[in-house]
Amino acid sequence: MSALKLLSTPLNKENPITIQVLGICSALAVTVQLKPALVMALSVTVVTAFSNLIISLLRNTIPPRIRIIVQLVVIAALVIIVDQVLKAYVYDVSKKLSVFVGLIITNCIIMGRLEAFAMAKKPWPSFLDGLGNGIGYGLILVIVAFFRELLGSGSLYGYKLIPASFYEMGYMDNGMMILPPMALITIGAIIWIQRSKNPDLIEKQ
Amino acid sequence: MFSNRYIIIYSAIMVLVVAAALTVVAVQLRPAQQYNQRVEKMQSILASAHIESTVKNAEDLYNKYITTAFVINEAGDKEANANAFETDLSKENSKAVAERHLPVFVCINDSGSLYYILPMRGKGLWGPIWGYMAFSSDLKIIVGAMFDHKGETPGLGAEIDTDKFEDQFIGKSIFNEQGEFVSVKVVKGGAPDGDTHAVDAISGGTITSKGLEDMIRDGLSPYQNFFQQIRDSVSSQNTSEE
């Protein structure tokens, strides 16, 4: 596959969230506001890209009997580094993300890519594949967070967008959007739209 | 195939390399992380006295408005060699009341009013909750409160850190008419109108609300001797003025 294709297929036809339905838990939890969602997307992208790269570099030295352990050690180390960096440089966001940064370790997307791709492919394609999957995950997170923050809090990236006069005329933020069920419904809507645009994604009956 | 020997050596080297890398990262980032925690604490203390601060100006504002900070013991005597800002309440709360270090922050705001700011820490539903409460110089009323939590349920218990909840405490009192310590109750279903010792609980956040009520009572009751000293000195000033 060409480099571009490695990067672009996870964005649409092999999207980890909407097609493979992986990483849903964090997608529901950290999408209340745009800023934490962006930071989460970036963190996952960094971890998938670099764990793919490292595992691919090591792939011929890893004994098959302990390969899952080796993969987890690499993922866990990267996640801890990301967590420490967030705590040092974007403290407020790291507080909002709280346990979800640590839970990147258990994000199925990452181990899935290591097993399915990095263990068998050369470092550069593996790195791109990790990058693409991280971005594909992040893309959905950002779309969901965009709607949830706009409709749930009337703001985007922390800036108030809905003018005060709207509220005086009786407009109210939708409190439901802040709760996880609406994130699931938003993701459902994205899957619906995506499938209606790509007929070949629809399963034959 | 890989031999057992290879696997053991491989894992040993992997663990050593990863441990070394993580140690370096943790040591390098430690100062920045500690600084963030200090700034957050300063912002919380200032917020309880209604002083808005940003991450950038928190330290300057803290030094400007928090004129003194000291630690007392349960008897109300000052502990000379303890630092109020560095006192870790989670450790203090596990000690016997008589041995606790009780921090007091004194704030003088732009209009010259003096507030006593007292920290508190307790348990919510999922983890720790904590807060700061600012009292008028005669301790008669609460002038501000600031609460925060580690991870209470969003939309329910997590509402304790909203202005809507915190502002209910303004004007309340922790002493009854006779001057006895009664704390402030967090009442499920709504506090009665005009009750100066109660605020509305959060609907759906019963355990967090209860935890907050306990935190306020248990956090402030060790200060009673200190409260008495302040009130004695205020009333003696008043008499001497008359």
Side-chain angles (χ1 to χ4, degrees):
Chain A
M1 273 204 274
S2 73
L4 194 68
K5 223 162 169 214
L6 279 172
L7 275 176
S8 63
T9 45
L11 299 190
N12 186 7
K13 294 205 172 156
E14 274 179 39
N15 190 284
I17 295 186
T18 61
I19 306 298
Q20 299 171 9
V21 199
L22 298 175
I24 292 288
C25 166
S26 55
L28 303 189
V30 301
T31 51
V32 177
Q33 288 165 331
L34 207 47
K35 197 176 178 190
L38 269 172
V39 174
M40 185 70 178
L42 195 67
S43 310
V44 171
T45 308
V46 167
V47 176
T48 42
F50 283 95
S51 61
N52 258 13
L53 177 69
I54 294 169
I55 290 295
S56 177
L57 283 169
L58 297 174
R59 72 188 187 284
N60 294 326
T61 70
I62 300 174
R65 272 195 283 168
I66 59 161
R67 68 177 199 287
I68 302 281
I69 299 174
V70 176
Q71 291 168 8
L72 271 181
V73 169
V74 170
I75 299 171
L78 285 170
V79 168
I80 293 171
I81 293 174
V82 166
D83 189 32
Q84 296 284 323
V85 170
L86 293 184
K87 275 198 187 118
Y89 297 111
V90 275
Y91 188 65
D92 54 328
V93 180
S94 96
K95 264 185 63 188
K96 276 203 192 105
L97 292 173
S98 64
V99 298
F100 290 99
V101 176
L103 286 178
I104 296 176
I105 296 172
T106 60
N107 193 318
C108 318
I109 299 169
I110 300 168
M111 258 186 86
R113 291 330 291 170
L114 294 182
E115 274 286 287
F117 202 97
M119 284 299 284
K121 299 279 175 19
K122 290 213 167 80
W124 179 240
S126 297
F127 181 73
L128 291 177
D129 177 77
L131 208 59
N133 274 282
I135 297 170
Y137 166 87
L139 182 71
I140 304 296
L141 243 65
V142 168
I143 295 173
V144 176
F146 175 87
F147 287 110
R148 287 184 77 189
E149 188 174 353
L150 184 64
L151 300 175
S153 319
S155 60
L156 278 181
Y157 209 77
Y159 296 103
K160 270 274 170 216
L161 277 191
I162 313 271
S165 56
F166 273 48
Y167 290 101
E168 280 156 24
M169 281 155 63
Y171 175 83
M172 274 173 81
D173 290 327
N174 185 347
M176 272 286 276
M177 289 306 283
I178 295 175
L179 300 173
M182 283 311 283
L184 197 61
I185 291 173
T186 314
I187 291 178
I190 294 172
I191 294 178
W192 181 17
I193 293 168
Q194 191 190 12
R195 291 192 173 214
S196 68
K197 297 255 179 226
N198 298 280
D200 50 325
L201 289 175
I202 302 168
E203 293 89 353
K204 293 196 177 59
Q205 297 229 313
Chain B
M1 271 309 280
F2 297 97
S3 64
N4 282 347
R5 198 186 144 100
Y6 177 87
I7 292 178
I8 291 167
I9 295 173
Y10 190 90
S11 1
I13 293 175
M14 174 181 74
V15 169
L16 284 178
V17 169
V18 168
L22 291 183
T23 314
V24 170
V25 171
V27 170
Q28 289 293 320
L29 296 176
R30 179 112 241 162
Q33 293 169 354
Q34 281 171 338
Y35 176 76
N36 288 335
Q37 282 161 5
R38 284 174 60 86
V39 166
E40 189 192 23
K41 190 168 178 181
M42 288 175 181
Q43 285 190 289
S44 303
I45 294 172
L46 291 172
S48 69
H50 304 292
I51 297 165
E52 292 285 333
S53 60
T54 63
V55 174
K56 287 207 175 70
N57 66 13
E59 194 153 11
D60 294 337
L61 290 181
Y62 181 86
N63 292 333
K64 180 176 166 200
Y65 290 111
I66 307 297
T67 49
T68 36
F70 50 87
V71 174
I72 55 161
N73 59 20
E74 200 230 347
D77 303 323
K78 278 190 194 181
E79 299 267 350
N81 44 12
N83 183 324
F85 190 79
E86 305 296 343
T87 305
D88 182 354
L89 283 193
S90 59
K91 281 191 194 133
E92 299 303 323
N93 283 354
S94 59
K95 293 183 193 166
V97 174
E99 287 165 12
R100 276 187 210 169
H101 282 173
L102 306 166
V104 179
F105 301 93
V106 181
C107 168
I108 295 178
N109 70 5
D110 281 331
S111 52
S113 318
L114 184 147
Y115 299 149
Y116 293 101
I117 300 172
L118 306 179
M120 50 191 74
R121 188 180 172 93
K123 284 196 195 81
L125 172 59
W126 303 114
I129 54 175
W130 60 92
Y132 296 90
M133 220 177 241
F135 295 90
S136 59
S137 56
D138 56 5
L139 299 174
K140 279 199 177 117
I141 58 164
I142 297 169
V143 291
M146 185 274 155
F147 302 109
D148 207 347
H149 59 93
K150 178 98 189 260
E152 297 304 296
T153 323
L156 303 174
E159 298 287 300
I160 56 166
D161 67 2
T162 57
D163 290 344
K164 189 169 170 257
F165 181 76
E166 289 163 353
D167 289 350
Q168 293 189 84
F169 284 86
I170 299 171
K172 303 283 174 182
S173 174
I174 56 168
F175 300 105
N176 65 10
E177 304 282 303
Q178 289 75 42
E180 289 155 353
F181 176 73
V182 291
S183 188
V184 176
K185 296 215 161 27
V186 183
V187 182
K188 204 178 161 184
D193 280 346
D195 187 338
T196 54
H197 309 298
V199 296
D200 300 347
I202 296 153
S203 359
T206 308
I207 298 179
T208 311
S209 302
K210 207 74 209 155
L212 190 100
E213 181 182 302
D214 294 346
M215 171 177 88
I216 297 170
R217 190 192 57 236
D218 299 343
L220 295 179
S221 67
Y223 284 95
Q224 288 188 58
N225 286 317
F226 171 73
F227 291 152
Q228 200 53 49
Q229 289 172 9
I230 301 281
R231 288 156 38 147
D232 289 347
S233 74
V234 169
S235 57
S236 68
Q237 270 170 25
N238 287 351
T239 13
S240 59
E241 277 163 23
E242 284 159 15

